[in-house]
Amino acid sequence: GDGRVIAWGDDDFGADCHPVKHQLRDVKEVFGTGFAFAALKKDGCVVTWGENYPGGDSRAVQGQLSDVRTIAASSYAFAAIRADGSVV
């Protein structure tokens, strides 16, 4: 496949990915909190969407979300592990 993401369900729980839909290609894996999602792309970049407070807004750390190998999710937050072992 081409790694596109399709989301559905209640917009209040992160289903509305339209603001970032153009970025949701070549996705390797998707992770979720209660109200947000994080897509790990094949190139190691991360795209988030959904409610801001549980991780849907990653603008404050977006510059650090490259070369990511995996993502851990809790009910209200994400943590990204980068190739160099650092955690964002």
Side-chain angles (χ1 to χ4, degrees), residues 16-33:
D16 182 11
C17 67
H18 286 95
V20 296
K21 187 172 181 145
H22 64 284
Q23 299 176 58
L24 295 175
R25 293 178 185 246
D26 298 320
V27 172
K28 180 170 114 174
E29 202 166 353
V30 176
F31 304 86
T33 64

Side-chain angles (χ1 to χ4, degrees), residues 53-82:
Y53 69 91
D57 182 359
S58 59
R59 288 177 291 181
V61 295
Q62 193 62 49
Q64 301 172 64
L65 293 177
S66 61
D67 211 16
V68 172
R69 294 296 179 240
T70 191
I71 296 172
S74 70
S75 297
Y76 295 99
F78 293 109
I81 302 171
R82 299 179 67 194

